[in-house]
Amino acid sequence: MKHLLSILLVVLVLISCQEKKSENTANVKIKVEGLDICEFDVRRGFGDKNPFKVNMENGELLLEIPNVTEPEYILLSSMEEGTHYGIRFFIEKGESSFEGKLVPNEQYPKHKFIKKTKLIASTVNKIDEEWNKKQMDVFKRSNKYFKEYNREEATAYSDKLRAELEEWKLNWVKSHPNSWFSAYQVNTVISGGSDVAMHELLLSYLDPKMDNKQVRSMKAKIKEMKNTDVKLEDLIQAKNVHYKVDQTYKGSDFKNVTYMSAIEGNKLCMLSKAGEFKIVDANGKVESSFQPNSKSPATSFAVSGESEIYALTPNYKIIVKKHRGREIKKQVVDGVACVVFDAKGTEKKRFKFEGLGAASGAKFMNDKLIVSDCKTSRLYIYDAKTGEKKSEIADMRTCCGILDFCIGSDNQLLVADLGAFRVQGYKLNGEKILAFGQRGKELEQFHGCCNPVNIGCLSSGAIVTVEKSPTRIKIYSQDGARLIDGVEELVQGCAYIPMAIDNKDNLYLASPDKGLVKCVSVKS
């Protein structure tokens, strides 16, 4: 009898769990006219680094999302035959549907996109549509002005429109303090920002009794920022650090450099887009060069204390997919290999790194090799002798396929966290210990869509940051941020700018068109 009761109890628990799971599940029926078979990656929010895959057949799929306790932003994306398909909308638990149509992309005629035709989903989507219409109106009016007026007038008008839009958003939040969408929008600002006082003010516009994932995320972010934000005068001891462009340096021949690092003897090791390595002396003379025998060019490298070059090269494999009755071969990344060379190009050893999706940057710290990965938004710490992964650090906001870092004066890892418009500092164990910077146009701030793209440390402890579009090279010391005058525009748009600092604290910057630019210290 006891045994029977035990079995009955287990069954009741399982039924209860199943009912609870069903209660919090979002079932989304998706139909896309003109799209037959397609594999989508599904992300639960922009920050989801672990998407799951679903397959569309005959233009339809049923998407089941478990544990939906409040509205969520769902993103479906797919790369099919070079074309990007995307679907985005909010969901809540229960039944919902999305209908779309595959239509030509006016901006890119060879591509197509999924246009929404009907959406029966979360009520949050109606609010989101109102916001999107407001933003699109500003975008269209701004673009029209740029076509009809000069850049200075158009920029001023665009800034005015954007300020009006931000005021409209703020007033909407203030008038809807209990809305989940208000919390979502405030959290979006806070997660990508760095002004603690402003964040606390924004949070105060929400109902203090509101408790959901968005609010909890905001409070945690503000608490973390209060614990890690530092003043430059407390972080950096260096003073009166001045630099200028060395006009005598002949570096214009070194074009298409994709990554570089200092090497013993005040020399540079450079990697070209084609995968060739060059060792160059302080006067710009090439001492040696070599082209590794690999199937694909390296994306980054690190130089050890023994002047060995650890080249990081993506491995590829071919996968076969069936699409509309035919097979399609697709090349995908299959990990990253590390090949070790001496300065003359003689191969010493090789191994494969675990966990890496892309090697964006690499540096040595004693017997450890640290690699940044823009795909996973992480730093990975490896044993330099064996390639064994020791640990990883996750918390970066990558953008434009860029993520680099440097080793600070106290052996901390300083990350150019461009998506957050910050410099973040970590211990090797992943503990965040410092941060500074925020988005803005002022000299001490980081401008554009995402910056800084690179970071370095001088022997004095001063920190160098690199911004793109427009190019700004700044040196942070106790005196604040100081711009290096005379550096012309190095790249166009969202692009990485390689930088290296030699043993004499000379700075080298690489431009695909202008070659190498050298900056030297000057006495004030």
Side-chain angles (χ1 to χ4, degrees), residues 41-52 75 355 373-378 380 392-399 402-403 417 419:
D41 286 332
V42 182
R43 287 178 170 81
R44 299 178 72 164
F46 286 104
D48 187 355
K49 303 298 180 184
N50 299 298
F52 63 91
L75 302 92
D373 184 342
C374 64
K375 285 195 173 181
T376 61
S377 302
R378 283 169 163 80
Y380 294 90
E392 61 184 70
I393 303 171
D395 191 25
M396 292 97 201
R397 291 174 60 89
T398 56
C399 188
I402 301 168
L403 180 63
D417 200 356

Side-chain angles (χ1 to χ4, degrees), residues 424-470:
Q424 313 269 28
Y426 301 86
K427 291 181 179 180
L428 274 180
N429 63 6
E431 178 188 354
K432 186 185 288 188
I433 53 175
L434 65 92
F436 69 87
Q438 64 185 63
R439 187 176 192 175
K441 295 181 179 179
E442 300 301 321
L443 186 58
E444 290 194 358
Q445 299 172 328
F446 298 116
H447 65 210
C449 80
C450 50
N451 271 308
V453 297
N454 210 334
I455 186 170
C457 231
L458 301 174
S459 60
S460 64
I463 295 172
V464 185
T465 62
V466 179
E467 293 173 71
K468 43 108 179 116
S469 191

Side-chain angles (χ1 to χ4, degrees), residues 91-157:
I91 61 164
E92 288 185 86
K93 61 185 179 181
E95 305 293 325
S96 58
S97 65
F98 173 95
E99 292 182 18
K101 183 178 182 180
L102 202 60
V103 297
N105 189 322
E106 294 179 4
Q107 191 173 0
Y108 303 101
K110 293 182 179 180
H111 292 182
K112 294 182 179 181
F113 73 98
I114 296 173
K115 182 180 180 180
K116 180 182 70 179
T117 57
K118 187 177 181 181
L119 178 63
I120 303 174
S122 165
T123 53
V124 174
N125 286 285
K126 294 179 181 178
I127 304 171
D128 186 49
E129 195 168 317
E130 178 188 355
W131 279 55
N132 285 336
K133 283 181 179 179
K134 192 77 176 177
Q135 291 177 132
M136 282 304 298
D137 177 60
V138 168
F139 179 75
K140 288 177 180 178
R141 288 162 64 192
S142 178
N143 273 4
K144 183 180 178 183
Y145 221 81
F146 271 99
K147 291 177 182 178
E148 297 175 356
Y149 296 88
N150 65 50
R151 186 171 185 82
E152 186 176 343
E153 288 178 303
T155 300
Y157 180 69

